[in-house]
Amino acid sequence: MKRLLFYILILFFVHIAAAQQRPQYTQYVFNNFLLNPAVTGIENYTDVKAGYRSQWTGLNGAPVTSYLTINAPLGREFIEGSANSFSAGGGENPNSRLYTQDYMAAAPHHGIGAMVVTDKAGPITTTNFDATYAYHLGLTDRLNLSVGVAAGFMRTNLNTSEITLETALDPAIANGNNGQFHPDLGLGMWLYSSNYYFGISAQQILPQSLYLKSTSIDVIKTVPHYFFTAGVKLFVSDDITLMPSVLVKQIKPVPLTYDVNMKLAFRDNFWIGGSYRHGDSFGAMTGFYLNSFLNVGYSYDITTSALNTVSSGTHELVIGILLNNRYKVTCPRYGF
């Protein structure tokens, strides 16, 4: 009976996470690097971002995600050879029509990066450590293509101190394989120009079985996650730019899901936006490009699923730092 209760508890959390073995983000448009390794090194500076997401606030054991990412370009021609496109003080606002008209494809270059993502749901904590690499090349004088790979490992840990059973030393816990390491691999492609992008990627493409040593039953099986994303810039005026985007996710056996987002940017100073996640939530977002070193974004999701009776919403905060920013840009030029 005690073991049965334990398995029911575990399966409960597995059921919650079945559609979300990898964390989901409202501000993925602020850091597409999280979903697609081909974005590695897309900008002319070293891009560092730290994020924190508290999902379904008010629900005990709800997912909490934190991450730290860093990626940078390699290639002197790209880093130093863009003097015609960049000038001291940042040059032309990349959200403007004029920047789009003068845009030139990035010089061929490499990108390297790394990320640490920790996701905690109930007593289960999953941490991914990945190194990334991408190669960028110009297909035409205005169109770029990059391909990338992410490789590392995933650690899954069951915190038995958060589980209460009739017998504290139940062998299902005491003898279980409560901390496990597994390889992790992801791939991606990114097609981008000055005013649109398309991306496809796959995460967790090496399926793994997470289990307890005391039983032959597989408690969790990881599955590949597939993503398609696209966005475009629409110019309302010389100072205001509308940027709609979409993210489609395929995670079997869960039905196809999608997010729709809209950002309204005022020059390279700040932006506001909204999002809709099918069958899950509506979100409000805002971000500020404070200077050539620091930017910040915040979002709040209103839950529309059945969990809205026990959840007061989802908060997400992202802080960005621009290192080695030789041309003092304040917002992305090759990304959105």
Side-chain angles (χ1 to χ4, degrees), residues 14 138 170 241 281 320:
V14 172
D170 189 297
T241 308
S281 64

Side-chain angles (χ1 to χ4, degrees), residues 1 9 12 53 62 81 90 103 115 157 172 205 218 234 250 252 261 301 306 331 333:
M1 179 64 179
L9 177 65
F12 169 75
R53 177 181 175 87
Y103 179 88
M115 68 177 72
N157 182 70
I205 61 177
D218 288 336
L234 305 174
Q250 176 64 66
K252 292 183 178 181
N261 301 273
D301 295 0
C331 74
R333 288 182 175 260

Side-chain angles (χ1 to χ4, degrees), residues 136-200:
H136 301 251
L137 73 159
L139 296 181
T140 70
D141 58 352
R142 299 180 61 86
L143 183 63
N144 305 266
L145 174 68
S146 64
V147 293
V149 59
F153 62 90
M154 173 182 68
R155 183 180 189 273
T156 303
N157 182 70
L158 172 65
N159 186 354
T160 57
S161 67
E162 297 185 22
I163 300 175
T164 302
L165 294 176
E166 181 180 346
T167 301
L169 296 179
D170 189 297
I173 294 179
N175 299 328
N177 189 7
N178 300 324
Q180 302 174 50
F181 289 87
H182 296 276
D184 188 33
L185 182 65
L187 300 171
M189 296 180 62
W190 197 257
L191 187 72
Y192 60 101
S193 186
S194 61
N195 58 344
Y196 64 87
Y197 68 85
F198 298 92
I200 56 173

Side-chain angles (χ1 to χ4, degrees), residues 39-117:
V39 178
T40 305
I42 194 172
E43 297 295 343
N44 196 259
Y45 49 82
T46 299
D47 188 11
V48 180
K49 283 189 171 65
Y52 178 83
R53 177 181 175 87
S54 178
Q55 188 167 320
W56 304 327
T57 303
L59 177 62
N60 189 31
V64 174
T65 304
S66 57
Y67 65 80
L68 179 65
T69 68
I70 180 171
N71 70 93
L74 295 176
R76 185 172 181 178
E77 185 179 356
F78 174 69
I79 297 174
E80 300 181 5
S82 304
N84 293 330
S85 302
F86 298 87
S87 61
E92 183 60 41
N93 164 34
N95 291 328
S96 69
R97 286 193 184 97
L98 181 58
Y99 176 78
T100 299
Q101 293 169 357
D102 296 339
Y103 179 88
M104 295 183 62
H109 65 281
H110 307 270
I112 57 172
M115 68 177 72
V116 180
V117 181

Side-chain angles (χ1 to χ4, degrees), residues 194-216:
S194 61
N195 58 344
Y196 64 87
Y197 68 85
F198 298 92
I200 56 173
S201 61
Q203 292 183 342
Q204 210 166 264
I205 61 177
L206 300 175
Q208 304 291 319
S209 294
L210 312 180
Y211 56 90
L212 300 175
K213 285 182 178 177
S214 57
T215 176
S216 60

